[in-house]
Amino acid sequence: MPFMPLPESESWKLLASTTIGRLAVSTPEGADVFPLTHHVHERAIYFRTAPGTKLAAIAENPRIAFETDGFIDTRPWSVVVRGIAHRLDEDDEIITSGVLDVITPVGGEKWNYVRITPVAVTGRRG
């Protein structure tokens, strides 16, 4: 079954329909990928994280990729966002974005909030 490109508007709907995705960052050792829960608000992607590799990698090089996928009936789809990740420091955006409501499956304190501002959004469906 060939994969067909999706319009950007449909890609955003699919992004917003999921809660789990994968963040790809560049580290001194090479690329690294982290599963995480996310939230879409006003064509940006938000997530929360604890201090560590993800946050350090974003501070060093904010150019990231984010991917999520799923199925509609039996047809697979995938959406990839290339963008810039930025740690939030404005309470207003943290509150209005909805990132405070993101539930993370891994315990621990996650008081760092990050916005991914897209540069390109591409989607494909089988």
Side-chain angles (χ1 to χ4, degrees):
M1 147 182 9
F3 274 79
M4 304 299 292
L6 293 171
E8 188 173 329
S9 60
E10 189 171 346
S11 294
W12 276 108
K13 287 178 188 173
L14 292 169
L15 272 169
S17 75
T18 65
T19 57
I20 304 230
R22 286 157 291 286
L23 177 74
V25 299
S26 178
T27 70
E29 293 79 29
D32 209 346
V33 178
F34 299 92
L36 53 81
T37 53
H38 70 281
H39 173 70
V40 173
H41 176 72
E42 294 184 354
R43 292 204 171 209
I45 299 163
Y46 293 84
F47 66 92
R48 40 194 309 176
T49 187
T53 306
K54 278 189 295 274
L55 210 52
I58 289 167
E60 182 72 25
N61 181 359
R63 295 179 187 274
I64 58 83
F66 180 82
E67 189 271 344
T68 189
D69 50 36
F71 289 87
I72 298 175
D73 298 320
T74 59
R75 296 173 60 194
W77 61 265
S78 175
V79 175
V80 174
V81 176
R82 287 178 301 167
I84 307 296
H86 174 77
R87 185 177 174 275
L88 300 177
D89 54 14
E90 295 291 325
D91 289 345
D92 288 345
E93 184 175 7
I94 292 168
I95 293 166
T96 60
S97 71
V99 71
L100 290 172
D101 297 326
V102 172
I103 297 170
T104 60
V106 178
E109 299 294 321
K110 299 201 176 182
W111 300 114
N112 295 282
Y113 307 100
V114 178
R115 176 187 63 238
I116 298 172
T117 303
V119 172
V121 178
T122 56
R124 297 167 60 92
R125 179 177 51 213

